[in-house]
């Protein structure tokens, strides 16, 4: 991965191929094209953080906060990694985050906390951005710029978003940059959790700035809808590294597992005057975990669920202007194995199809899911709808279910069918 320094510009915000032999012969497969392709150096100037949108401030809890806005002027999506250094006069502190994908010609704001900064006159140094090319379609969410988009007297904003695509969008968030007079003040997101938005649906949202800058707010800009949990964490667990993510209107820090690796604690802060939410996403170890959640040792209501990719979600509400110790218990000891490339339920459906228990169209719905989730990355093609799927695909599906064919081999076969226009 190549590293590029922050670029300074005066612009303001805007809105595998596969070789297939006869069915009874083992398939000769190429490696599935990587989701992340390293970029050449000639795209340096096309990914940057605007100087005037990169700044730090102390929030209402006294925590030093750095915000910025990653801009991508390339014709392809990128996955940026941002490294932010600050100096307290004696040492330099670094915080690195891997951000969410930024679509082609798009931008996504970020916010990073430095609770360890005790000097109240820190020096914010130039950020660096490294990135890789990624397959990512723009989120089909649109902020409705009509009479319902309102900045209220107390500084918060309300509005509506619409799903303009053809697919359900899960756990979307809306980010925006808050401006004062001629300068940005904060980066905020919707305060309520939006579990999903069906195609065509319109959902209301609200945003609240940090109370420390409420009186200075003039307008909101650079709205950026995203459809993924955005704050990554890595913490020690049973002698290894355990990665998880969360999405929330609140902020969490100092994550730590107990000696058994079964209980995770964090400091939690909600500066907003309204209730917000937290949605944590974990890789399961067995899939049979039963979690519990406490605030300062007091049990609270929460929702535990498993999404369509097999990730475990633990979601709960966070009260207004609150601080507490969060504890999530119920983890199993050890570290999770790597999740399979294709969810188990898709493999089960493939077995039913190979046994003629479901129709071709029902099986193709699962293939469509794999394409939407970018597990299958096909080349652009203009094939016609298939009248039937070749019989050898059923044989392959049966082998896949029995473990004789790997996930990668099955995915490559589906890529071949799509690229050849056999299925669409």
């Amino acid at each position: 991965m190549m590293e590029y320094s922050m670029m300074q510009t005066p612009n303001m915000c805007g809105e595998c191929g596969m070789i297939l032999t006869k069915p009874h012969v083992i398939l000769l497969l190429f490696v599935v094209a990587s989701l992340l392709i390293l970029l050449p150096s000639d795209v340096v100037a096309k990914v940057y953080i605007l100087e005037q949108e990169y700044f730090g401030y102390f929030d209402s809890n006294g925590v030093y906060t750095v915000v910025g806005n990653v801009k991508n002027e390339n014709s392809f999506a990128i996955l940026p990694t941002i490294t932010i250094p600050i100096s307290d006069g004696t040492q330099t502190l670094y915080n690195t985050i891997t951000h969410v994908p930024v679509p082609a010609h798009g931008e996504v704001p970020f916010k990073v906390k430095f609770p360890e900064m005790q000097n109240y006159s820190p020096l914010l140094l130039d950020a660096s951005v490294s990135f890789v090319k990624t397959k990512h379609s723009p989120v089909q969410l649109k902020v409705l710029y009509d009479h319902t988009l309102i900045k209220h007297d107390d500084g918060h904003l309300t509005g509506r978003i619409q799903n303009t695509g053809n697919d359900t969008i899960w756990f979307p968030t809306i980010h925006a940059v808050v401006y004062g007079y001629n300068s940005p003040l904060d980066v905020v997101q919707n305060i309520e959790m939006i579990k999903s938005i069906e195609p065509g649906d319109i959902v209301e949202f609200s945003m609240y700035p940090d109370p420390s800058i409420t009186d200075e707010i003039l307008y909101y800009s650079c709205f950026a809808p995203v459809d993924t949990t955005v704050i990554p964490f890595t913490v020690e667990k049973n002698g290894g590294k355990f990665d998880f993510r969360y999405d929330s209107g609140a902020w969490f820090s100092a994550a730590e597992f107990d000696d058994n690796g079964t209980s995770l604690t964090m400091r939690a802060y909600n500066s907003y005057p309204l209730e917000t939410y937290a949605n944590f996403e974990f890789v399961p170890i067995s899939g049979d975990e039963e979690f519990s959640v406490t605030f300062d040792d007091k049990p609270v209501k929460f929702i535990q669920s498993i999404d369509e990719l097999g990730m475990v979600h633990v979601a709960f509400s966070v009260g207004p202007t609150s601080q507490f110790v969060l504890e999530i218990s119920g983890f199993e000891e050890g570290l999770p194995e790597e999740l399979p490339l294709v969810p188990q339920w898709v493999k089960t459906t493939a077995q039913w199809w190979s046994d003629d228990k479901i129709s071709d169209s029902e099986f193709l719905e699962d293939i469509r899911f794999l394409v939407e989730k970018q597990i299958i990355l096909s080349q652009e093609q203009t094939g016609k709808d298939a009248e039937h799927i070749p019989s050898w695909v059923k044989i392959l599906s049966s082998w896949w279910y029995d473990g004789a064919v790997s996930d990668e081999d099955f995915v490559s076969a589906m890529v071949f069918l799509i690229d050849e226009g056999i299925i669409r």
Side-chain angles (χ1 to χ4, degrees):
M1 186 180 294
M2 302 182 67
E3 182 171 279
Y4 309 109
S5 296
M6 179 186 73
M7 306 301 296
Q8 299 180 2
T9 82
N11 298 329
M12 292 299 291
C13 295
E15 278 259 281
C16 41
M18 166 182 163
I19 298 174
L20 189 65
T21 60
K22 294 180 180 180
H24 63 277
V25 179
I26 296 296
L27 296 176
L28 178 62
L29 301 168
F30 289 122
V31 177
V32 179
S34 174
L35 284 170
L36 303 178
I37 304 172
L38 292 177
L39 295 179
S41 59
D42 61 354
V43 295
V44 174
K46 295 185 177 181
V47 177
Y48 55 89
I49 303 172
L50 274 177
E51 179 182 20
Q52 59 265 42
E53 292 178 10
Y54 175 66
F55 61 96
Y57 68 93
F58 284 95
D59 69 13
S60 58
N61 293 312
V63 177
Y64 189 67
T65 304
V66 177
V67 300
N69 200 11
V70 178
K71 295 180 179 288
N72 175 25
E73 293 184 350
N74 292 294
S75 59
F76 46 78
I78 63 161
L79 184 68
T81 297
I82 308 160
T83 299
I84 301 168
I86 57 173
S87 173
D88 65 359
T90 60
Q91 63 176 335
T92 300
L93 304 176
Y94 295 87
N95 203 328
T96 300
I97 64 167
T98 298
H99 206 24
V100 297
V102 182
H105 307 294
E107 57 191 79
V108 179
F110 65 87
K111 177 184 289 188
V112 180
K113 300 281 189 176
F114 286 83
E116 63 272 43
M117 175 53 66
Q118 301 299 317
N119 185 331
Y120 278 80
S121 298
L123 176 63
L124 178 61
L125 305 176
D126 285 353
S128 61
V129 181
S130 58
F131 58 92
V132 291
K133 182 178 179 180
T134 184
K135 291 281 187 178
H136 181 75
S137 301
V139 182
Q140 299 299 309
L141 281 178
K142 179 176 70 173
V143 175
L144 300 181
Y145 291 90
D146 57 20
H147 66 280
T148 63
L149 190 64
I150 303 170
K151 184 188 79 69
H152 299 266
D153 291 341
D154 64 356
H156 86 278
L157 177 135
T158 56
R160 300 185 301 165
I161 52 173
Q162 182 175 24
N163 181 350
T164 58
N166 298 317
D167 303 306
T168 301
I169 299 175
W170 295 90
F171 297 110
T173 58
I174 307 94
H175 296 245
V177 179
V178 183
Y179 282 83
Y181 291 94
N182 301 319
S183 65
L185 302 172
D186 197 5
V187 167
V188 297
Q189 71 175 79
N190 53 295
I191 197 169
E192 59 280 284
M193 182 170 70
I194 305 171
K195 183 177 180 180
S196 64
I197 305 181
E198 299 296 329
D201 281 0
I202 295 175
V203 174
E204 296 179 350
F205 71 92
S206 58
M207 294 179 166
Y208 279 79
D210 187 272
S212 64
I213 51 94
T214 297
D215 294 338
E216 305 172 53
I217 295 173
L218 185 60
Y219 65 95
Y220 291 67
S221 186
C222 306
F223 291 94
V226 298
D227 62 346
T228 185
T229 307
V230 296
I231 307 297
F233 257 105
T234 298
V235 62
E236 295 285 339
K237 182 181 189 296
N238 296 125
K241 300 291 186 181
F242 182 80
D243 298 321
F244 67 93
R245 305 186 302 177
Y246 79 85
D247 171 36
S248 180
W251 172 64
F252 299 86
S253 68
E256 183 179 24
F257 272 100
D258 64 1
D259 292 340
N260 294 326
T262 59
S263 180
L264 175 67
T265 59
M266 283 167 280
R267 294 291 310 177
Y269 306 84
N270 178 19
S271 301
Y272 302 121
L274 292 179
E275 179 179 88
T276 186
Y277 70 95
N279 175 28
F280 283 80
E281 179 186 278
F282 305 109
V283 178
I285 294 178
S286 72
D288 297 326
E289 293 90 341
E290 294 185 4
F291 292 100
S292 62
V293 178
T294 64
F295 294 176
D296 289 335
D297 297 324
K298 297 179 181 179
V300 297
K301 293 181 179 179
F302 68 98
I303 298 174
Q304 178 178 334
S305 61
I306 298 179
D307 67 23
E308 48 199 359
L309 291 178
M311 302 296 286
V312 176
H313 290 260
V314 175
F316 47 85
S317 297
V318 180
T321 55
S322 57
Q323 298 185 28
F324 54 89
V325 175
L326 166 68
E327 182 174 7
I328 303 176
S329 302
F331 293 90
E332 296 180 354
E333 293 187 18
L335 296 168
E337 296 181 0
E338 186 175 347
L339 285 176
L341 177 63
V342 183
Q344 177 62 38
W345 60 264
V346 177
K347 187 175 289 188
T348 301
T349 304
Q351 174 66 5
W352 292 344
W353 175 66
S354 68
D355 291 339
D356 295 322
K357 294 179 180 178
I358 62 174
S359 66
D360 286 3
S361 61
E362 290 175 294
F363 173 68
L364 289 177
E365 280 300 308
D366 283 2
I367 303 306
R368 180 170 178 257
F369 166 83
L370 298 179
V371 173
E372 289 172 356
K373 293 300 179 182
Q374 301 178 26
I375 295 170
I376 291 178
L377 301 177
S378 65
Q379 301 172 6
E380 289 189 15
Q381 47 77 38
T382 56
K384 298 180 179 179
D385 290 337
E387 295 181 0
H388 67 279
I389 303 175
S391 60
W392 62 262
V393 182
K394 288 192 175 182
I395 299 174
L396 177 67
S397 298
S398 181
W399 290 348
W400 176 49
Y401 182 82
D402 292 335
V405 171
S406 70
D407 284 1
E408 288 78 8
D409 289 350
F410 178 79
V411 166
S412 291
M414 296 304 104
V415 168
F416 172 83
L417 293 174
I418 294 172
D419 285 345
E420 292 299 313
I422 298 172
I423 63 176
R424 191 177 178 192

